[in-house]
Amino acid sequence: MARLDDDQLAARARQIRCLFLDIDGVLTDGLLYIGPNGEETKTNFVRDGYGIKLALRQGLQIAVISGRPSASMQRRLEWLGIRHIALDTQDKEPAYLRMRDALGLADAQCAHLGDDVPDLPLLRRVGLAMTVADAHDSALACAHWVSRSAGGRGAVREAIDLILGAQGRLPA
Ligand SMILES: [Mg+2]
């Protein structure tokens, strides 16, 4: 897959009804802070959270699929209003297919923003394959679009702005 020019990108973005997000390295910077009892802490970027709320308000569905379990992330995602969440998912593709079918969407109507090898089956399948500036080479190689921001530093907001902007649904 190669990068798309702006017109090709906009044409694909106009079709998108659901943006699927990875957590580690996308919604977060990929760092895990491990506490004395093994509990994990991660950071979230507030501008990304605002973008998610905006997307949902403007009718763009958001879904999250992650390989790691995280009760705190589950709570935050629910607080943001996301209803399609699959954490602790070793194989992302079946989870994606389940959610896609539940939403009644075709692959061309789905975008995925992911940064590493577990995201590749989704990036190869969706209508709009998106990755972050500091992604693993494998994700960079098959993405239609790469954010300017790194994971956990505004990449999610950029992806949402791109899709809503192409659809004329980005508030001024
Ligand atoms: Mg990741």
Side-chain angles (χ1 to χ4, degrees):
M1 231 180 287
R3 298 293 180 274
L4 302 177
D5 67 33
D6 287 351
D7 288 346
Q8 292 169 319
L9 208 53
R12 283 178 182 253
R14 275 196 292 277
Q15 307 295 316
I16 302 305
R17 295 294 171 267
C18 184
L19 171 61
F20 288 75
L21 299 172
D22 173 31
I23 292 182
D24 296 297
V26 170
L27 273 163
T28 79
D29 58 11
L31 298 177
L32 296 175
Y33 299 88
I34 313 296
N37 299 311
E39 71 276 18
E40 294 180 356
T41 308
K42 337 187 185 204
T43 55
N44 276 231
F45 198 60
V46 168
R47 269 207 315 262
D48 287 341
Y50 183 85
I52 287 170
K53 289 196 146 189
L54 175 67
L56 294 171
R57 211 162 51 231
Q58 297 296 93
L60 174 65
Q61 292 283 349
I62 301 289
V64 176
I65 303 175
S66 171
R68 303 185 70 84
S70 171
S72 54
M73 280 304 300
Q74 176 88 30
R75 271 200 301 280
R76 170 150 175 89
L77 297 172
E78 287 173 358
W79 178 84
L80 288 170
I82 299 173
R83 291 187 294 116
H84 308 282
I85 304 168
L87 307 188
D88 204 4
T89 300
Q90 294 319 305
D91 186 354
K92 292 191 177 190
E93 195 168 17
Y96 163 77
L97 294 174
R98 236 180 0 258
M99 289 178 173
R100 182 203 66 184
D101 292 348
L103 289 161
L105 299 177
D107 287 329
Q109 296 174 299
C110 297
H112 180 60
L113 179 58
D115 73 323
D116 208 340
V117 169
D119 299 292
L120 299 183
L122 275 58
L123 292 173
R124 293 189 179 120
R125 201 179 243 287
V126 293
L128 185 56
M130 311 175 97
T131 195
V132 298
D134 58 338
H136 186 260
D137 285 348
S138 61
L140 290 168
C142 66
H144 296 127
W145 174 87
V146 183
S147 64
R148 288 186 309 275
S149 308
R153 287 286 185 277
V156 171
R157 182 63 172 278
E158 268 186 53
I160 289 168
D161 285 354
L162 174 83
I163 294 168
L164 291 182
Q167 299 177 355
R169 293 196 281 175
L170 190 62

